[in-house]
Amino acid sequence: MTQIPDLLPALPEIFLAIAGMALLMLGAFKGDGATRLVAYLTVMSFVIAGFLLLVVVETPAETFNGMFVADDFAVFMKILALLGSAFAVIMSQRFIEREQMARIEFPVLFLFATLGMMMMISAGDLLSLYLGLELQSLSLYVVAAFRRDTVRSSEAGLKYFVLGALSSGMLLYGASLVYGFTGTTSFSGLAEAFAGGGEVGIGLILGIVFVSAGLAFKVSAVPFHMWTPDVYEGAPTPVTAFFAVAPKIAAIALFVRVMIEPFGELVQQWQQIVLAISILSMILGAYAAINQTNIKRLMAYSSIGHVGYALMGLAAGSEAGVRGVLVYMAIYLAMNVGTFACILCMRVNGRMVEGINDLSGLSRTHPLMALVLAVFMFSMAGIPPLAGFFAKLQVFLAAIDAGLITLAVIGGLTSVVGAFYYIRIIKLMYFDDPVESFDRPIGNDMTLVLTGTGLFTAFFFLFPAPIVDAAARAAASLFAG
Amino acid sequence: MGEWPILSLTTFVPIVGAGFIFLLARGSAETVARNSRYMALWTSLITFALSLFIWFEFDRSTAEFQFVEHVEWFPDLGIAYHMGVDGISMMFVLLCTVLVPVCVLASWESIKDRVKEYMISFLILETMMIGMFCALDYVVFYIFFEGVLIPMFVIIGVWGSGSRRVYAAFKFFLFTLLGSILMLLALLAMYLEAGTTDVPTLLATEFGYEMQIWLWLAMFASFAVKIPMWPVHTWLPDAHVEAPTAGSVILAGVLLKMGGYGFLRFSIPMLPEATEYFTPLVYTLSVVAIIYTSLVALAQEDMKKLIAYSSIAHMGFVTIGMFTLTTQGIHGSIFQMLSHGVVSAALFLAVGVVYDRLHSREIARYGGLWNNMPRYGIVFMIFMLASVGLPGTSGFVGEFLSLVGAFQVNTWVAFLASTGVILGAAYMLYLYRRVIFGRLVKEDLKGFSDLSFREMAVFAPLLVLVFWMGIYPTSFIDVMDASVAQLIENYEAALQAAADREALDAAVAASQ
């Protein structure tokens, strides 16, 4: 008789899984008319999962023979992922009703994707990592193609699926190589195996390279970014808003955990890889965005650039670096959710518009929305005193501390280039005359999201301590284990 | 007032006023515009009144930082909200608080579109500027230094006059940002070395020679763009030409001083050995700037562009003065910054007066204004002569002291810089003759009215300052004297220590 594992550390995930299935049943019985109810219940489940995470789960703990880890790092990142998902569900609600996409599977798929993310974040083993990753990815492939009667959406879903499967394959192949050369897939076992500091074989390095490539695909870092602009542009906008935030956070969390926990002793080996993809992402994110005319594509390149900055913290390989990554992702969440809320408000006569030029003169037609979007843009460009500046400050600090001066200088220069396209949007909104006014009203849900994220971004500097301290604790927990 | 956080009050009253305008100015467009104007004026006047406390309460006998405030901010990182002023920074705070009400008044009628947003931007700008001069923590300084970009970018881009305003706004933003980012990296490197971003602590920290060189270059990138020095000055004429009058006033009056202040607060005292190493470079660039931009100014057709180039030349005196590291030189450079802050601001306002009437900045469109605008002619003449450096006006003291300082160190630099004085007289007098003197033949100028009461009120405080600074400079020199003396003393002590160390190393090497 085998012993039942301790379920408490995984309680939020278990709850979400049960909630997801219950909601699916609810939808099956009530039909698509219940979509709104299901969406609300989904958000409620996220809230309850977050509550369980903060109150019931005790850290640090592990269960399922070490395959599932609950530490401060996991809690921090899971809260971010839950927030991102909850915002995405809230923002998508009106959209799917307007566009005749209101099917009950939509929120439920978000929920399952989020469950996958939480599994990823808590993975303590290469196998549970893969499990979570696939649960997340499969749900995402479906929502990307959710508007199956339009070519763009199905194309986005298909592209995402094919390339995503490829990257999963690479990851799996890398994991098998690592297993073959070390005889274990558990993170703690791997960390022990490398603790001796002995010679690292080429086969193992190859395995690490493949794992990193698979992860880099998931965070859409250069050179594995090709899918991002197309999928962002093709997917329905709320789905893009979802893609840009929660899965990115989960994938970054995974990346950080895999590099620090099992391969922590091999910093020398993987640092160059992370360094290279960080630099390439920052450069491409800055230059490729300059000529974009579609705001969703622009945001895709912008997110590639941001991932580059976040990876700068990881490249430092230090506790300060990880703290930087965590703070960066928290601020990234607010800025991106807010920006996508603005993009979701870009409707003219009932149809969505996505051109950057459609923002012309927004400060005259929707002054408050223009103000909030300007705050996000300046913040993404890293201008103090807005939140984005502090995010960059943290990762630059870690990079310089680790002696990666060149990386920091390149990061600084690309952020000036990047500033160009962010302030171009401000120029359109403030300096140019309006063409067409967006529809009013923008709705209470959007107002709420915009106010919340806008205030956070603008006034982060007044109360930085809670987030910075939590990030510091989370980073410390990763290095303690 | 001893217990009050007077610096924070002065810094943040404008932004609170901006918040009030944002929330309270409602109603018809007309009402909103009027209320915003009055609220902005009152806010800036209250700020000015508060800053007067700083002026009167300031202890002139000490070089210590005064009115210090210290609140933990990022306790883990050792970054604190730390404010304080000394003799170097205190008068810049007053310069800001004097100029902003002047700017609000100057924009009273010329800004008709989106008045509310304009006034909000201006008040935010004021907070950023004052905060920057008061900050005693490098990160806080950086935040204010960089935060200035946002309102200024918007002011140039939205209320700018020319067709190239977007280009000018982008150029301003990206040039400055590029320089600042490099300074940010230097800041972080210093933080990691010293473990804090507290300015007084950093001032006492010694950095290695190699590191000083790199840090100095990174900071130079930022401050040289801001001040601006040749050859990174090209954003300035564009920004000045396109900005609205009050924008130019603030740009010339305060923003340029941020670069000079940065040199005095950070580069020179924190990195003395690198400063010594790079002094010839600064001299060269400054001399080139003085001569080259003066010649360029002679050829300008656009009034604002001419004054913009003259600003670059004047800033050349500032950089020469401060890098002489003599008492007179640094006194002169600070004085020159203050004086230029008043005089160039007034000159841009003077251009604004006729621009409001004709909507052209082209010199050739004007001529013979003396006939129907005598009061304007007199006001313009006083500021023009102050800019040239006529004894009795503020411009003379600054230029003279800078040159005296330069003469003690390097006669060639002093000689070449002096040519700038002559060229300066040439282009300013030439400008004045073309605009004011001559016969009034152009039809569209004949209907011009002389200065209105509001315009007189705008110029009056600046006139008082120009003469006060010119006739009795002691009241200003007194303020900075102790701080400057300490700056030079520390600088020389640091160089001496470095030389001793080197001698010791050499002796050790020889004995082995």
Side-chain angles (χ1 to χ4, degrees):
Chain A
M1 178 80 187
T2 47
Q3 210 182 354
I4 295 177
D6 182 12
L7 295 179
L8 196 62
L11 194 60
E13 285 78 6
I14 294 169
F15 168 77
L16 267 191
I18 294 172
M21 285 183 267
L23 288 176
L24 211 51
M25 294 308 286
L26 180 74
F29 283 109
K30 286 218 161 188
D32 287 340
T35 308
R36 177 168 282 219
L37 176 69
V38 171
Y40 285 142
L41 289 175
T42 306
V43 175
M44 277 302 290
S45 321
F46 289 153
V47 173
I48 294 172
F51 175 77
L52 291 175
L53 204 55
L54 288 174
V55 179
V56 180
V57 175
E58 282 174 15
T59 55
E62 55 174 41
T63 181
F64 301 111
N65 297 322
M67 290 185 106
F68 188 94
V69 184
D71 52 8
D72 284 338
F73 176 78
V75 172
F76 188 90
M77 285 315 235
K78 281 181 196 170
I79 292 289
L80 291 189
L82 283 171
L83 273 174
S85 303
F87 277 127
V89 174
I90 295 172
M91 293 194 298
S92 61
Q93 198 44 42
R94 273 163 193 272
F95 181 90
I96 57 172
E97 282 171 14
R98 268 198 321 261
E99 307 282 323
Q100 277 87 44
M101 287 168 50
R103 304 167 58 85
I104 68 108
E105 289 88 352
F106 192 82
V108 177
L109 280 168
F110 274 40
L111 191 148
F112 279 117
T114 312
L115 176 60
M117 289 169 210
M118 293 174 68
M119 296 285 294
M120 283 158 69
I121 296 171
S122 269
D125 189 292
L126 288 172
L127 284 180
S128 52
L129 177 162
Y130 187 73
L131 211 65
L133 192 67
E134 281 308 281
L135 176 56
Q136 180 220 232
S137 302
L138 284 172
S139 315
L140 293 185
Y141 302 146
V142 182
V143 283
F146 206 79
R147 218 175 193 178
R148 56 196 170 157
D149 45 355
T150 67
V151 180
R152 282 207 317 177
S153 177
S154 358
E155 185 196 323
L158 200 62
K159 235 177 210 168
Y160 192 30
F161 172 66
V162 172
L163 288 171
L166 183 72
S167 83
S168 294
M170 285 201 281
L171 188 86
L172 211 50
Y173 182 56
S176 72
L177 279 176
V178 171
Y179 174 67
F181 282 92
T182 57
T184 176
T185 54
S186 98
F187 288 178
S188 49
L190 285 168
E192 262 169 48
F194 300 133
E199 191 72 12
V200 184
I202 187 77
L204 192 56
I205 302 230
L206 214 58
I208 297 176
V209 168
F210 271 107
V211 171
S212 323
L215 292 172
F217 178 91
K218 296 294 175 195
V219 299
S220 73
V222 180
F224 306 101
H225 65 284
M226 275 73 160
W227 59 277
T228 322
D230 293 338
V231 173
Y232 270 43
E233 190 186 352
T237 311
V239 174
T240 314
F242 182 51
F243 278 9
V245 182
K248 279 270 156 66
I249 288 170
I252 287 274
L254 191 60
F255 209 154
V256 170
R257 190 189 286 280
V258 170
M259 287 304 155
I260 301 290
E261 270 190 357
F263 302 134
E265 294 291 324
L266 308 179
V267 175
Q268 306 295 330
Q269 315 293 335
W270 57 257
Q271 193 174 38
Q272 298 156 28
I273 304 175
V274 179
L275 207 62
I277 59 179
S278 164
I279 291 178
L280 290 175
S281 305
M282 290 188 294
I283 294 178
L284 186 108
Y287 282 95
I290 291 177
N291 270 329
Q292 300 305 324
T293 51
N294 181 298
I295 185 117
K296 281 158 78 183
R297 270 191 105 79
L298 180 104
M299 288 306 291
Y301 285 109
S302 150
S303 84
I304 293 173
H306 282 300
V307 164
Y309 290 107
L311 289 181
M312 188 193 273
L314 178 59
S318 60
E319 201 175 313
V322 173
R323 184 188 63 203
V325 177
L326 297 179
V327 174
Y328 203 101
M329 292 322 284
I331 291 169
Y332 171 87
L333 167 95
M335 297 188 301
N336 266 273
V337 167
T339 311
F340 273 102
C342 290
I343 296 175
L344 278 166
C345 295
M346 292 172 62
R347 282 189 313 131
V348 178
N349 300 328
R351 102 199 120 76
M352 298 295 295
V353 291
E354 293 173 0
I356 291 175
N357 287 334
D358 292 315
L359 287 167
S360 292
L362 189 68
S363 66
R364 287 186 190 269
T365 53
H366 290 73
L368 283 178
M369 189 170 137
L371 180 70
V372 178
L373 189 53
V375 166
F376 294 133
M377 289 298 126
F378 277 127
S379 173
M380 287 200 193
I383 308 296
L386 304 169
F389 165 72
F390 294 96
K392 289 218 166 81
L393 186 74
Q394 295 268 349
V395 289
F396 281 159
L397 190 65
I400 293 182
D401 197 15
L404 305 171
I405 310 276
T406 321
L407 178 66
V409 171
I410 294 175
L413 297 180
T414 53
S415 77
V416 177
V417 178
F420 172 76
Y421 63 81
Y422 292 125
I423 62 174
R424 191 165 63 116
I425 293 179
I426 293 164
K427 172 234 162 200
L428 282 168
M429 293 191 301
Y430 279 88
F431 302 176
D432 292 358
D433 289 325
V435 272
E436 289 171 300
S437 175
F438 295 153
D439 294 355
R440 291 169 184 281
I442 61 171
N444 289 335
D445 44 356
M446 291 299 170
T447 315
L448 192 73
V449 172
L450 281 177
T451 318
T453 52
L455 287 178
F456 175 83
T457 312
F459 295 108
F460 172 79
F461 71 96
L462 289 179
F463 311 103
I467 287 176
V468 177
D469 290 352
R473 269 201 310 280
S477 80
L478 199 58
F479 279 84
Chain B
M1 293 298 285
E3 298 302 310
W4 286 68
I6 183 76
L7 292 180
S8 291
L9 275 177
T10 318
T11 305
F12 292 108
V13 160
I15 214 166
V16 171
F20 275 124
I21 296 181
F22 180 73
L23 293 174
L24 297 182
R26 299 241 178 262
S28 69
E30 195 61 26
T31 334
V32 169
R34 195 181 58 239
N35 289 345
S36 317
R37 283 186 190 116
Y38 276 106
M39 274 152 93
L41 182 64
W42 278 108
T43 310
S44 56
L45 286 176
I46 292 170
T47 315
F48 174 64
L50 281 170
S51 69
L52 284 180
F53 281 107
I54 306 177
W55 170 260
F56 286 115
E57 299 278 316
F58 188 82
D59 180 357
R60 284 157 176 72
S61 60
T62 169
E64 295 297 308
F65 289 105
Q66 303 181 32
F67 311 105
V68 173
E69 298 162 26
H70 196 285
V71 182
E72 291 298 329
W73 192 27
F74 288 87
D76 290 354
L77 300 180
I79 300 171
Y81 172 78
H82 190 181
M83 303 283 259
V85 287
D86 69 352
I88 296 174
S89 53
M90 189 271 270
M91 285 182 294
F92 289 109
V93 174
L94 274 116
L95 183 65
C96 300
T97 56
V98 170
L99 284 181
V100 172
V102 168
C103 285
V104 171
L105 268 182
S107 318
W108 207 259
E109 280 158 22
S110 55
I111 300 294
K112 295 185 179 68
D113 185 32
R114 293 200 251 189
V115 180
K116 176 176 165 185
E117 288 83 352
Y118 180 84
M119 293 301 170
I120 290 175
S121 308
F122 245 91
L123 292 176
I124 293 177
L125 186 62
E126 184 175 17
T127 287
M128 295 293 171
M129 294 185 301
I130 298 175
M132 196 217 70
F133 288 118
C134 295
L136 280 188
D137 185 283
Y138 207 160
V139 172
V140 179
F141 168 84
Y142 184 81
I143 287 171
F144 285 122
F145 186 83
E146 191 88 320
V148 166
L149 288 184
I150 299 177
M152 202 64 214
F153 172 74
V154 175
I155 287 173
I156 298 177
V158 177
W159 296 279
S161 47
S163 52
R164 276 157 43 94
R165 64 191 160 91
V166 174
Y167 169 78
F170 271 63
K171 199 168 175 183
F172 163 76
F173 193 94
L174 294 177
F175 255 71
T176 330
L177 183 63
L178 181 63
S180 315
I181 286 280
L182 294 175
M183 179 172 79
L184 176 67
L185 299 179
L187 184 167
L188 295 176
M190 290 169 87
Y191 164 69
L192 291 168
E193 182 83 8
T196 177
T197 51
D198 192 46
V199 169
T201 319
L202 285 176
L203 286 172
T205 310
E206 281 180 36
F207 297 96
Y209 183 70
E210 187 94 340
M211 192 174 176
Q212 282 200 18
I213 299 285
W214 287 108
L215 291 177
W216 196 93
L217 283 173
M219 287 192 201
F220 185 70
S222 173
F223 299 140
V225 168
K226 205 83 178 184
I227 201 168
M229 286 176 85
W230 183 85
V232 284
H233 65 280
T234 58
W235 62 271
L236 183 75
D238 284 317
H240 266 318
V241 168
E242 303 301 323
T245 302
S248 299
V249 169
I250 287 294
L251 205 54
V254 185
L255 259 57
L256 303 192
K257 277 73 200 172
M258 292 163 59
Y261 173 72
F263 279 129
L264 279 174
R265 176 66 77 231
F266 297 96
S267 298
I268 294 176
M270 288 179 192
L271 312 169
E273 292 168 63
T275 301
E276 195 196 24
Y277 179 79
F278 283 112
T279 298
L281 172 77
V282 175
Y283 285 162
T284 316
L285 294 182
S286 308
V287 166
V288 172
I290 291 175
I291 297 176
Y292 166 76
T293 52
S294 299
L295 291 174
V296 173
L298 263 177
Q300 291 309 311
E301 299 294 324
D302 182 309
M303 288 197 268
K304 267 186 153 179
K305 230 176 188 159
L306 191 148
I307 301 171
Y309 278 109
S310 85
S311 293
I312 303 168
H314 283 128
M315 289 299 119
F317 286 103
V318 170
T319 41
I320 287 180
M322 69 176 70
F323 277 88
T324 60
L325 268 306
T326 56
T327 311
Q328 291 87 347
I330 296 183
H331 279 169
S333 75
I334 298 176
F335 205 93
Q336 173 81 341
M337 282 197 268
L338 296 169
S339 151
H340 178 264
V342 175
V343 172
S344 69
L347 286 173
F348 278 114
L349 288 170
V351 173
V353 166
V354 283
Y355 181 80
D356 284 346
R357 288 164 171 72
L358 189 64
H359 293 284
S360 170
R361 296 178 306 260
E362 221 178 303
I363 300 172
R365 294 280 303 274
Y366 294 95
L369 288 178
W370 187 270
N371 297 299
N372 53 356
M373 302 176 77
R375 270 183 299 189
Y376 176 68
I378 290 172
V379 168
F380 196 172
M381 176 165 13
I382 292 169
F383 289 118
M384 183 270 294
L385 290 173
S387 170
V388 169
L390 186 80
T393 61
S394 61
F396 171 73
V397 184
E399 271 178 17
F400 179 74
L401 285 174
S402 303
L403 287 175
V404 168
F407 199 79
Q408 295 171 25
V409 180
N410 189 327
T411 44
W412 276 105
V413 171
F415 170 73
L416 291 170
S418 309
T419 58
V421 181
I422 301 164
L423 288 170
Y427 60 74
M428 286 314 287
L429 291 170
Y430 185 45
L431 167 74
Y432 190 75
R433 187 191 68 75
R434 284 185 288 173
V435 174
I436 304 290
F437 290 147
R439 300 223 329 273
L440 185 61
V441 286
K442 298 190 175 70
E443 281 305 319
D444 44 4
L445 302 184
K446 287 188 177 154
F448 277 20
S449 52
D450 206 348
L451 292 182
S452 68
F453 177 72
R454 181 184 59 83
E455 286 165 334
M456 295 292 277
V458 167
F459 284 113
L462 302 179
L463 277 174
V464 172
L465 277 175
V466 163
F467 285 119
W468 183 9
M469 291 171 77
I471 294 168
Y472 195 68
T474 318
S475 44
F476 300 90
I477 303 275
D478 269 355
V479 174
M480 59 178 107
D481 193 38
S483 298
V484 170
Q486 197 198 27
L487 175 77
I488 294 173
E489 194 179 307
N490 289 345
Y491 174 79
E492 277 164 2
L495 285 189
Q496 188 60 46
D500 289 349
R501 225 175 16 246
E502 217 163 89
L504 193 67
D505 288 348
V508 170
S511 68
Q512 276 169 353

